[in-house]
Amino acid sequence: MKNTAKRTLKSLKESAENYLKEENYTLSLSVCNQIKKEYPKNYFGYVGAIKSVTHNFKIYVPEDSIKMLKKDFEEAYNLSKKSEKEILKKEFDEYVEDCLEVESLKKTKKELVSKHFIKGLCNDGITYINQNINTAGTYNLNGKKITNVYDLIKGLFLFSCLIFNLIHRNYLLLLTVPFGIFGIITIYSFFSMNFFGKGKPKSEKERLSILVKEANAKIDELKVEINKLDESISFYTEQKNNNILKIPESFLTGIESYVNNDEESIASDILNEFISNNISTFTYLINEYTSLTAEEVLLKIKPSIKDETSDLSKFIDGKLLERKNGQNEVILMKKVKPYSYVIIAFVSLISLFSIIVLLYNFYEINLTSFICAVVVGNLSIFIYNINTGKHGALTDTINDNLISCVFNATLVYDLVYTSITNELNFTYGFIQMPITFVLIFMGLASVVSLLKYNNLMTKLRGE
């Protein structure tokens, strides 16, 4: 039959004392807990438990354990003799003070890692900004300060046609009024954007110069912050050394991770996880080894140091997008086939032949109207903006350029013709003359369109 007899207090105290002498603190704690349970009015169980947990006040225990030990201390203090109270209190208070010094060391360690991490983030931010500056400098930037010049010319042309038609009124107003209004809007938009608007465009070179100045100012700001961090690191390093001096040597064996001077290495590991976008690992490390939080770093500290939405970053993103779009357009643009040159040569011969025939049969053409129309038609061909026009294939560009040219030439011819003759036959003005202009301009329109098409493809390829 199992012996369940209750052990005497004396027997238990002797066992606990022997285990404490032998430094078998696990067994001594077990016996002291038994004394606390079976003899709750005896102070030895509580004192023994404290000595067992703290290895006779020789090791550090964390803050949570201190809270539990304080309960045992209060019981032991209340149950001990008056002569023992002062000694017990002094010994326990000194131990708690030593443990609190370790807690202070832990906090100082976290502050040091935090400062090193932020310093690393600042250095990474400087590297990022310098990379952006260097990347932006590799682009071929234009120096144009005025944009949409082609639109201005079109607007002036349409507005001029309206004014001319108002002076020489006729039914062509049905055509010139809506286009004239569109021209006025275009002219206004041009001047508003380039000269009067708050956000009037600057040349890319000028804009980049401003962005680089702002980026360098940010670098200077980060360097100042790094200097402040270095001062904080020096302060906390000194504080850490002072903490270590105040901690008993017996404690140091169990707190090597707090004593080691590896803060910079730990911060570097955390920064690497952050830059690699390993958010789960980063979150664990930042919460474990620093006084920062992952949310604070992601939402507050990082955006203020490494702003990936800065104007310079947006400028580079825009350039990358332009390059990507250019590459996509090159893929979509059909290559010019050898037979296209043959066709253009043939079309040019037709135009030349048509001009010769026209010169010998000029009796139906009004000279003044024709000269004005030809001048406008030629200008229209040469100022044709292929960037905003059709350029999916060479034939699209030729047709778009030719239609624009014929429309402008026909409109001018009809306006001048009616101002001189006071009459305009619909078939003559809107069928015969457009066909005539198609024949005489299609050669030049084809050649110019070919040159513009090849030039655009070369530009988009970045050659």
Side-chain angles (χ1 to χ4, degrees), residues 161 164-165 168 170 172 366-373 376 409-424:
C161 288
F164 186 87
N165 203 184
H168 305 279
N170 53 60
L172 287 173
N366 180 272
L367 181 60
T368 303
S369 303
F370 184 76
I371 291 173
C372 293
V376 170
T410 301
L411 181 60
V412 169
Y413 183 89
D414 290 349
L415 286 172
V416 176
Y417 184 85
T418 52
S419 69
I420 295 172
T421 63
N422 291 321
E423 62 178 356
L424 179 67

Side-chain angles (χ1 to χ4, degrees), residues 7-17 35 39 44:
R7 293 181 61 184
T8 64
L9 175 61
K10 181 179 179 181
S11 172
L12 291 171
K13 287 175 68 175
E14 288 177 352
S15 295
E17 287 172 347
I35 294 174
Y39 302 96
F44 182 85

Side-chain angles (χ1 to χ4, degrees), residues 19-63:
Y19 287 137
L20 285 170
K21 287 179 182 179
E22 295 171 1
E23 297 185 353
N24 192 336
Y25 298 111
T26 303
L27 291 178
S28 67
L29 178 62
S30 176
V31 174
C32 289
N33 284 335
Q34 186 177 352
I35 294 174
K36 285 162 59 179
K37 181 179 179 181
E38 296 180 4
Y39 302 96
K41 298 299 182 180
N42 188 278
Y43 81 101
F44 182 85
Y46 302 101
V47 173
I50 293 172
K51 290 182 177 181
S52 297
V53 172
T54 64
H55 291 197
N56 213 6
F57 302 111
K58 291 179 181 179
I59 65 166
Y60 156 77
V61 295
E63 205 168 7

